[in-house]
Amino acid sequence: MQYMSSREVRSRYLQFFAENGHTIVPSSSLVPDNDPTLIFTSAGMVQFKDTFLGNEKRPYNRATSSQKIMRAGGKHNDLENVGPSIRHHTFFEMLGNFSFGDYFKRGAIEFAWKLLTENFGLDPNRLWPTIYLDDDESFHLWQEVAGIPAHRITRRGKEDNFWSMGDTGPCGPNSEIYWDFHPELGENGDNPATDEDRFFEIWNLVFMQFDQPGDGSLVPLERPGVDTGMGLERMSVVMQGVHSDYETDLFVPIMQRIRELVGHTADEMQQHIVSYRVLADHGRAATFLIGDGVMPSNEWRGYVLRRIMRRAMVHGRRVGLEGPFLGELAKVVIELMGDVYPDIVARK
């Protein structure tokens, strides 16, 4: 497997789907313009919600995108996990491919398997799918399409393998794909449900079959579709041979700048690594939120931004930063935009 920068991961993903009949659609804003129930754009399919529901007709029935995501506030809220976790973020980038009444489960699995094993060159023996409890169709497709033995396909419940954007809207069972960090341990009975340190989720294939009207019922969609999400940060972990999102080229330059501002040695940085992660993540989040027009305030989206900034300030003080250091972090993120984020920036 060859080292691949995050920019190349993004480019290869989008190009692969463009070559397979998908229209590349630009990222929408972090502020949803078609759903007042959402505080932020929390998934790649948000801008396609009405398309999935059949309320909007687009000139294409296959799409791919690299979507800016914010998960701080509302149903999808990872704010407090950032820092202690090496895998959670408030702001991140979601690569996705979408089918609006075109291909369904078989097509999604075929595309995913071809991209991962042929285009990205991943070892198929290190890829482990999960499926929703009663999704026998996906269970058989993973064996037929990918040749994965039945014992390596894990069935999981609604909390893990049934996806919805919120309490209302399109939803359906999903199939996640995990990367095995430690194949040398062999097939010893571990699986993605029992060991999330060994197995690392890189892609989620959602099979949009239903609409949730909000009364607890599931209404079958007239034209089922596909909504997938591959975290750029997570795929970069795999393609760069590291173990943490914060060791990828998406975060290392920001964390290095923090270290320069503080004057820490490498050992001192490790002693304060939780604060470094918070600062790097929250610096990105605040920069992109402000870039999309959100300003700190006492309510709604502005309040979430204010919380992100205040949490960053707390951790900044812990490592010895003083003065307007969030502005310094923003400068680093903006400098990276031309190299790392050129395809997703709506405005600087």
Side-chain angles (χ1 to χ4, degrees):
M1 185 173 62
Q2 182 179 354
Y3 175 93
M4 194 177 294
S5 70
S6 58
R7 185 171 185 176
E8 187 175 359
V9 170
R10 181 195 300 112
S11 176
R12 284 204 184 192
Y13 185 98
L14 295 174
Q15 189 59 37
F16 171 83
F17 283 103
E19 292 171 353
N20 284 278
H22 294 66
T23 297
I24 298 178
V25 180
S27 172
S28 61
S29 170
L30 289 169
V31 179
D33 62 2
N34 64 341
D35 194 331
T37 69
L38 292 177
I39 187 167
F40 295 119
T41 298
S42 58
M45 59 75 63
V46 169
Q47 67 169 308
F48 302 116
K49 175 183 176 181
D50 287 336
T51 313
F52 279 115
L53 292 175
N55 299 327
E56 173 191 66
K57 178 66 177 176
R58 299 207 177 200
Y60 47 80
N61 56 16
R62 296 182 178 190
T64 185
S65 69
S66 178
Q67 174 65 50
K68 295 179 290 186
I69 301 293
M70 184 64 62
R71 290 190 176 174
K75 175 185 176 182
H76 300 284
N77 185 359
D78 288 330
L79 181 61
E80 298 302 325
N81 292 323
V82 173
S85 168
I86 63 173
R87 300 174 183 177
H88 285 88
H89 305 290
T90 51
F91 170 87
F92 63 97
E93 189 174 344
M94 187 75 83
L95 303 170
N97 61 284
F98 308 89
S99 165
F100 312 114
D102 189 0
Y103 61 87
F104 197 43
K105 293 181 182 180
R106 175 180 288 275
I109 291 172
E110 287 176 343
F111 281 137
W113 192 248
K114 183 175 181 180
L115 177 61
L116 291 174
T117 60
E118 296 183 19
N119 201 294
F120 286 127
L122 300 188
D123 181 353
N125 294 315
R126 296 178 67 176
L127 297 170
W128 292 59
T130 67
I131 59 171
Y132 185 53
L133 277 175
D134 61 0
D135 189 356
D136 291 333
E137 182 181 2
S138 293
F139 179 72
H140 293 299
L141 283 170
W142 276 114
Q143 295 174 75
E144 180 184 339
V145 171
I148 294 180
H151 69 273
R152 278 179 44 203
I153 304 171
T154 306
R155 294 181 185 264
R156 305 187 75 175
K158 186 172 184 178
E159 181 177 348
D160 297 295
N161 279 80
F162 194 96
W163 194 90
S164 61
M165 179 181 67
D167 295 328
T168 62
C171 61
N174 62 268
S175 181
E176 297 172 326
I177 305 172
Y178 285 75
W179 174 251
D180 184 357
F181 271 126
H182 298 289
E184 72 277 4
L185 296 177
E187 297 183 9
N188 58 3
D190 289 338
N191 61 52
T194 63
D195 190 343
E196 291 197 352
D197 288 325
R198 172 178 174 177
F199 297 98
F200 181 58
E201 181 197 339
I202 56 175
W203 205 352
N204 187 10
L205 315 180
V206 181
F207 308 123
M208 289 295 191
Q209 293 180 244
F210 307 104
D211 177 29
Q212 296 180 115
D215 58 5
S217 65
L218 294 175
V219 180
L221 293 174
E222 183 177 341
R223 301 173 69 223
V226 168
D227 156 33
T228 86
M230 172 191 282
L232 176 65
E233 290 77 4
R234 292 193 170 208
M235 195 61 194
S236 296
V237 166
V238 175
M239 299 309 299
Q240 294 175 23
V242 295
H243 196 76
S244 161
D245 293 14
Y246 295 94
E247 297 174 68
T248 67
D249 63 352
L250 290 159
F251 286 97
V252 167
I254 305 174
M255 296 176 76
Q256 182 59 36
R257 180 57 178 153
I258 297 168
R259 182 181 162 189
E260 291 171 359
L261 291 170
V262 178
H264 276 167
T265 64
D267 287 342
E268 288 171 330
M269 175 180 172
Q270 286 304 312
Q271 291 169 15
H272 296 86
I273 195 62
V274 169
S275 291
Y276 270 79
R277 293 174 189 152
V278 170
L279 288 164
D281 173 275
H282 291 9
R284 290 204 316 170
T287 302
F288 276 92
L289 279 174
I290 293 171
D292 277 356
V294 180
M295 299 302 291
S297 70
N298 293 327
E299 57 186 14
W300 196 220
R301 298 183 176 101
Y303 177 70
V304 177
L305 172 58
R306 183 180 172 189
R307 284 190 63 198
I308 291 170
M309 295 175 69
R310 290 181 65 179
R311 191 165 184 258
M313 292 175 189
V314 168
H315 283 270
R317 300 288 183 263
R318 289 180 184 176
V319 300
L321 286 172
E322 298 180 356
F325 60 83
L326 283 180
E328 287 297 315
L329 293 185
K331 289 180 184 178
V332 179
V333 177
I334 292 169
E335 288 169 4
L336 286 170
M337 286 180 176
D339 183 38
V340 179
Y341 306 115
D343 306 307
I344 64 167
V345 179
R347 61 179 73 88
K348 295 186 180 181

